[in-house]
Amino acid sequence: MDSATLIIAGIVGLAIGFAIAKFMEKGKASKTLSNAKSEANTIISAAKTEGENIKKDKIFQAKEKFLELKAEHEKVIISKDKKIGEAEKRTRDKESQVSNELAKSKKLNTQLDGKLKEVTHKEEFLEKKQSELEKLHKSQVQQLEVISGLSADDAKGQLMESLKETAKTDAMAYIQTTVEEAKLTAQQEAKKIIINTIQRIGTEEAVENCVSVFNLESDDVKGRIIGREGRNIRALESATGVEIIVDDTPEAIILSCFDSVRREVARLSLHKLVTDGRIHPARIEEIVKKTENQIEQEIVEVGKRTVIDLGIHGLHPELVRAVGRMKYRSSYGQNLLQHSREVAKLCGVMAAELGLNPKLAKRAGLLHDIGKVPNTEAEVETPHAILGMQWAEKYGEKPDVCNAIGAHHDEIEMKTLIAPIVQVCDAISGARPGARRQVLDSYIQRLKDLEEVAFSFGGVQKAYAIQAGRELRVIVESEKVNDEKAAQLSFEISQKIQTDMTYPGQVKVTVIRETRSVNVAK
């Protein structure tokens, strides 16, 4: 009984506890729901407030944007109104100007109409007078025909014949007088033009010789130039082809060679060696090569300065180089560049005196002797006038210049008026007293021929005529010519000189064969 009661009491207690728990849970849920509703209402009200604020901001921004656009639009309208006002003002000015012009035109038309009426009236008056004169003339002619017994045509014919005979006689007499005066004055006028031309041109005389003097600061340098057992001076002579004479002349060394280019190379090389102080065979060869390149550059500079001084433009670089090479050439002892400059100036002045193109004549005068400085030995056989003409044609010179160059020694026919001017000016420059020496030119030609004999043999590297043509120094290639062949070559060259050439005295032939072994340590 007691256990059953306890069980029932326990069950009832559990039921009551479950009911109480359910009631409490329901209360909590309703409280949570009410809290959520309250929070939701708060969020909604806050969102509404924020939305109202955003809406107000956007409306305010839109109003500001509208005001800005309105202000800009008003500015544009004001600018357009201003432009329209300016255009209207210009239009009014133009209209006013056109009105003035129309008024002037009307006034001019009125004046022209008055003038036209006046001219028409005068023309009618003149026609009336002309008809009266014609009638009067006819009546006078008829009266003359009756008096003379001749018709007007017959009288006119007799008068024409009489006038023809008189005119013929007067014309013949005038022609005869003019021809005689021309014969008397033509030669005088030609001489006057030439004399005036020569008087207006003043050039210095330049006579090249075969010797240059190299001055030294002291005689102590001579020993260093000669070197031990003469090796330095031999190396210098071999490299330049110039004979170097070291004698008792105080503070001076003499350089002797017929070729002025070689003498200049030797002089400049000596100057560099003495200034530097290092004088030995290897250094000598290096300096000589550099000096040869320097001389080549100087030749180009001399050519450029010459054409600039003479006012000649558009000359091909090769022709400029040929002009520069003329500085180191001579013709009958006369420096070729000075001669060509003189001829160019004479041609320019003489062409101006005769009413021709002085620039073209000056150009032809400068280039007339470029054939005397050939580039290769093969070109030596061609006459210098023809060779110069070929060069001028090759490098785009005008036909007048080419013909003047080729015809100045009558190798070809003269086809322009410039050609005889170049020929005459060449003769004037060459005929000047002291300008040329025939003996020197033949002497230089003999030395050149002497060197050419050596070059005609195989294995010859260099050949120099020295001692005024009394010695021929030949340098051979050691790989092609041995010692025995060198001796044989010396004999063959001497025999050929003896057979082919005419010369005073004796010619000594020296063949030099040098062997070098060069290695580089790395």
Side-chain angles (χ1 to χ4, degrees):
M1 187 71 177
D2 291 332
S3 59
T5 304
L6 288 171
I7 292 167
I8 294 169
I11 293 168
V12 171
L14 288 171
I16 293 168
F18 180 76
I20 293 169
K22 281 287 183 179
F23 180 78
M24 289 179 70
E25 185 178 354
K26 186 176 180 181
K28 285 181 181 179
S30 62
K31 188 178 180 180
T32 301
L33 182 63
S34 63
N35 289 336
K37 286 181 179 180
S38 175
E39 287 179 1
N41 292 328
T42 304
I43 291 169
I44 290 168
S45 63
K48 286 181 178 179
T49 305
E50 187 176 357
E52 289 294 329
N53 292 333
I54 291 171
K55 181 179 178 182
K56 289 178 181 179
D57 290 339
K58 291 295 182 181
I59 291 170
F60 182 72
Q61 290 176 1
K63 286 182 179 180
E64 285 184 345
K65 187 68 175 176
F66 173 74
L67 292 174
E68 288 178 0
L69 292 173
K70 183 180 179 182
E72 290 178 359
H73 181 66
E74 288 176 353
K75 286 181 182 179
V76 171
I77 291 172
I78 291 169
S79 175
K80 288 184 177 180
D81 290 341
K82 186 177 179 181
K83 290 181 180 178
I84 291 169
E86 291 176 353
E88 289 176 350
K89 184 180 178 183
R90 288 196 297 270
T91 305
R92 287 194 297 272
D93 293 341
K94 289 285 184 182
E95 288 176 353
S96 175
Q97 186 177 357
V98 170
S99 299
N100 293 333
E101 293 292 334
L102 285 173
K104 289 181 182 178
S105 299
K106 287 180 180 178
K107 187 176 180 181
L108 288 173
N109 285 333
T110 305
Q111 292 176 355
L112 286 173
D113 289 339
K115 292 285 185 183
L116 187 60
K117 289 178 181 178
E118 186 179 350
V119 169
T120 306
H121 179 69
K122 288 183 178 180
E123 186 177 356
E124 291 175 354
F125 178 75
L126 288 174
E127 287 178 355
K128 185 177 179 182
K129 288 289 185 183
Q130 183 70 25
S131 61
E132 291 178 359
L133 286 173
E134 287 178 357
K135 290 178 181 179
L136 182 61
H137 178 68
K138 286 181 180 179
S139 65
Q140 289 178 349
V141 169
Q142 290 174 359
Q143 291 177 5
L144 288 172
E145 287 178 354
V146 172
I147 294 169
S148 62
L150 294 173
S151 66
D153 292 337
D154 293 339
K156 194 182 294 184
Q158 289 183 6
L159 181 61
M160 288 290 292
E161 290 296 327
S162 175
L163 289 174
K164 281 182 181 179
E165 292 298 326
T166 306
K168 277 185 181 180
T169 305
D170 292 344
M172 290 298 293
Y174 178 74
I175 291 170
Q176 186 68 27
T177 305
T178 304
V179 169
E180 290 177 358
E181 288 180 358
K183 287 180 180 178
L184 290 173
T185 59
Q187 192 171 4
Q188 294 177 356
E189 289 298 321
K191 288 180 179 179
K192 189 186 295 183
I193 290 173
I194 293 172
I195 291 169
N196 289 337
T197 303
I198 295 171
Q199 286 177 341
R200 288 168 61 182
I201 301 297
T203 57
E204 66 279 3
E205 295 183 13
V207 180
E208 294 290 322
N209 53 35
C210 296
V211 175
S212 297
V213 178
F214 181 75
N215 296 313
L216 302 172
E217 293 182 357
S218 66
D219 288 337
D220 297 337
V221 185
K222 289 184 179 179
R224 293 165 58 196
I225 292 174
I226 294 172
R228 183 180 298 175
E229 298 177 357
R231 64 175 187 171
N232 288 348
I233 197 169
R234 284 200 303 273
L236 194 55
E237 288 181 344
S238 298
T240 60
V242 174
E243 182 182 3
I244 302 174
I245 302 170
V246 182
D247 54 13
D248 296 334
T249 306
E251 298 181 358
I253 291 176
I254 297 173
L255 309 177
S256 176
C257 180
F258 69 92
D259 192 330
S260 54
V261 177
R262 291 187 202 167
R263 284 207 317 276
E264 185 66 11
V265 170
R267 188 186 68 79
L268 292 176
S269 300
L270 263 176
H271 177 72
K272 291 179 182 177
L273 289 167
V274 170
T275 304
D276 184 47
R278 294 177 293 167
I279 305 177
H280 52 83
R283 178 68 175 165
I284 288 170
E285 291 181 0
E286 179 186 351
I287 291 294
V288 168
K289 285 184 180 179
K290 288 183 179 178
T291 305
E292 287 174 349
N293 293 333
Q294 179 186 341
I295 289 292
E296 189 64 27
Q297 293 176 0
E298 185 179 345
I299 284 172
V300 176
E301 289 300 320
V302 168
K304 289 180 180 179
R305 285 198 301 271
T306 301
V307 297
I308 289 171
D309 290 345
L310 293 174
I312 295 173
H313 304 286
L315 207 61
H316 193 278
E318 284 298 322
L319 294 180
V320 173
R321 185 168 171 269
V323 170
R325 287 207 308 272
M326 289 195 290
K327 177 183 177 182
Y328 300 102
R329 294 290 184 273
S330 60
S331 176
Y332 300 101
Q334 184 181 24
N335 182 271
L336 198 56
L337 181 59
Q338 293 296 335
H339 166 66
S340 297
R341 287 172 64 101
E342 187 175 13
V343 171
K345 291 180 179 178
L346 287 168
C347 287
V349 178
M350 193 173 291
E353 292 284 345
L354 296 173
L356 301 175
N357 188 342
K359 291 186 178 180
L360 209 61
K362 194 182 290 186
R363 198 182 192 97
L366 178 65
L367 300 177
H368 80 285
D369 268 349
I370 56 172
K372 289 187 177 180
V373 285
N375 289 321
T376 61
E377 296 299 331
E379 293 176 336
V380 177
E381 303 299 327
T382 308
H384 76 272
I386 302 299
L387 181 60
M389 181 183 70
Q390 292 172 355
W391 282 4
E393 291 174 346
K394 179 181 177 182
Y395 297 121
E397 288 298 315
K398 292 183 179 179
D400 292 1
V401 175
C402 298
N403 180 255
I405 295 171
H408 78 277
H409 283 312
D410 294 322
E411 275 91 355
I412 64 173
E413 181 185 356
M414 294 184 181
K415 296 181 180 179
T416 64
L417 291 174
I418 295 176
I421 291 177
V422 172
Q423 187 181 51
V424 169
C425 293
D426 182 36
I428 291 171
S429 175
R432 181 162 44 75
R436 294 187 172 185
R437 293 189 295 172
Q438 177 73 34
V439 177
L440 178 62
D441 196 67
S442 60
Y443 159 73
I444 291 174
Q445 188 60 44
R446 180 167 63 85
L447 297 187
K448 287 182 179 179
D449 293 341
L450 194 61
E451 291 182 353
E452 287 302 316
V453 170
F455 281 117
S456 64
F457 289 87
V460 175
Q461 186 178 6
K462 297 179 182 178
Y464 302 123
I466 60 176
Q467 296 284 349
R470 292 190 297 275
E471 182 179 351
L472 179 63
R473 188 167 294 174
V474 182
I475 301 172
V476 297
E477 300 177 20
S478 59
E479 295 84 1
K480 297 181 180 179
V481 180
N482 55 27
D483 290 338
E484 294 179 358
K485 194 172 180 182
Q488 182 183 353
L489 185 63
S490 175
F491 174 75
E492 291 176 354
I493 292 173
S494 64
Q495 290 300 309
K496 186 166 183 179
I497 292 172
Q498 193 171 344
T499 306
D500 297 348
M501 295 186 63
T502 303
Y503 53 89
Q506 297 177 343
V507 178
K508 178 183 176 183
V509 180
T510 304
V511 176
I512 300 172
R513 178 179 179 270
E514 185 181 30
T515 305
R516 294 188 186 184
S517 298
V518 179
N519 290 291
V520 180
K522 296 183 179 178

